[in-house]
Amino acid sequence: MHIFTLTALLMLTLSEPAFARNISNEQSEAASARDAVGDAMSKLSDIEQKIQRQQALLTQEQEKLKQYQAEKAQTEKDLEAKKAIFEQKSKLLDEAWKQRTDY
């Protein structure tokens, strides 16, 4: 019985907090790792927002490009029509000068 009591006392003594393992290093490392995860998540969020803004800007610029291309095509058509009119009017003027000199 005496050995049983001694064994029980020894077990209680060894389970006391005084013999608990110091885990402050692990706590510090876990906190640092948690902060690193938070920082990485924040950076990822910032980059995703930049990507969204850039995509919106790109969409706007693509719409402007389409508009300018359409304006260019219409201006080229107008130019060709105006050239045709100019050529016609120039021929008429040349004929008028020729008729004037023939008199």
Side-chain angles (χ1 to χ4, degrees):
M1 181 76 161
H2 189 48
I3 287 203
F4 178 71
T5 307
L6 184 59
T7 304
L9 262 175
L10 186 59
M11 287 177 61
L12 284 173
T13 305
L14 291 176
S15 66
E16 288 292 314
F19 292 101
R21 182 170 169 246
N22 185 356
I23 59 169
S24 62
N25 287 339
E26 288 84 354
Q27 288 175 323
S28 177
E29 289 174 1
S32 293
R34 181 193 63 231
D35 292 345
V37 168
D39 292 345
M41 289 174 66
S42 178
K43 184 176 180 179
L44 179 61
S45 177
D46 290 345
I47 291 171
E48 287 172 341
Q49 288 177 1
K50 288 177 183 179
I51 288 170
Q52 288 175 351
R53 285 192 300 267
Q54 195 64 37
Q55 286 174 334
L57 182 60
L58 180 60
T59 300
Q60 289 175 341
E61 292 302 316
Q62 286 173 332
E63 289 301 317
K64 282 183 187 178
L65 178 60
K66 288 178 185 177
Q67 179 184 353
Y68 293 152
Q69 288 171 333
E71 287 178 21
K72 179 185 175 200
Q74 185 60 48
T75 302
E76 287 172 340
K77 287 180 184 177
D78 292 348
L79 175 61
E80 291 303 315
K82 289 176 185 195
K83 280 183 180 180
I85 293 170
F86 172 69
E87 288 175 12
Q88 181 186 17
K89 300 293 181 182
S90 292
K91 283 182 184 180
L92 290 174
L93 180 59
D94 288 344
E95 289 176 16
W97 275 107
K98 185 177 179 184
Q99 287 177 2
R100 184 172 179 217
T101 57
D102 287 345
Y103 287 113

